[in-house]
Amino acid sequence: MAFQLTINGDRHSVDVDGDTPLLWVLRDVLGMTGTKFGCGMALCGACTVHLDGTVTRSCITSIDSIGDSKVTTIEAIGKTPTGKKIQDAWVDRQVPQCGYCQSGQIMSASALLAGNARPTDSDIDDAMSGNICRCGTYDRIREAIKQAAQSGG
Ligand code: FES
Ligand code: FES
């Protein structure tokens, strides 16, 4: 069945079963491989995207549940003001180690900052607790979020 999706501002028509997870449409159908597969069970955050600005685990989000919601992925988050600040801070603080989890980390951090310009440590912990990093980059993630929050705008 054909589904119409708006992803990063572009319209896409995809012909897949309705229960196909958004993650696999992004990666396998559309070739947008910045969004990663980790657990497939909403436990790690590697697959995080935004649906209408809200953090969403694409591995458990079926295509037929998306409707008219706008999808934003790591490929375009740098075009948003907060996403740009987060990415700049990530580079400045050299946050990634292996990098595998970092698309999801940046998507969660960007959503946090978009809704809360001055997050406390507790706010950061709450927003980021669903994003697992096996390399243990948590301290740098926290510092980068704080730096992005202090970067004005
Ligand atoms: S792959 Fe979606 S939360 Fe782990
Ligand atoms: S940087 Fe390696 S899993 Fe997070």
Side-chain angles (χ1 to χ4, degrees):
M1 179 174 174
F3 293 88
Q4 309 299 319
L5 301 173
T6 303
I7 304 171
N8 299 336
D10 296 325
R11 293 286 284 171
H12 296 270
S13 179
V14 295
D15 190 2
V16 296
D17 292 340
D19 60 357
T20 306
L22 173 59
L23 175 62
W24 299 118
V25 171
L26 292 172
R27 290 184 58 85
D28 290 352
V29 179
L30 299 174
M32 300 170 70
T33 54
T35 306
K36 303 302 185 192
F37 169 71
C39 64
M41 296 186 291
L43 297 172
C44 75
C47 67
T48 303
V49 299
H50 296 175
L51 280 193
D52 290 335
T54 299
V55 161
T56 301
R57 306 301 186 217
S58 64
C59 68
I60 58 158
T61 302
S62 63
I63 282 297
D64 63 6
S65 72
I66 292 175
D68 293 329
S69 295
K70 293 181 173 52
V71 180
T72 306
T73 71
I74 188 67
E75 282 86 357
I77 195 64
K79 296 176 182 167
T80 68
T82 50
K84 174 80 167 68
K85 281 188 208 173
I86 288 288
Q87 286 191 330
D88 287 348
W90 244 244
V91 171
D92 197 53
R93 294 280 173 165
Q94 299 187 23
V95 172
Q97 189 164 319
C98 82
Y100 197 85
C101 72
Q102 297 292 332
S103 296
Q105 304 282 3
I106 286 171
M107 295 307 289
S108 291
S110 298
L112 166 63
L113 211 59
N116 180 352
R118 294 285 182 270
T120 64
D121 284 355
S122 165
D123 294 334
I124 293 172
D125 289 346
D126 287 348
M128 303 302 294
S129 63
N131 287 83
I132 307 301
C133 176
R134 294 188 61 152
C135 300
T137 62
Y138 300 112
D139 288 347
R140 294 202 295 278
I141 287 170
R142 180 188 294 244
E143 291 309 309
I145 292 172
K146 288 181 180 176
Q147 178 174 319
Q150 290 164 1
S151 64

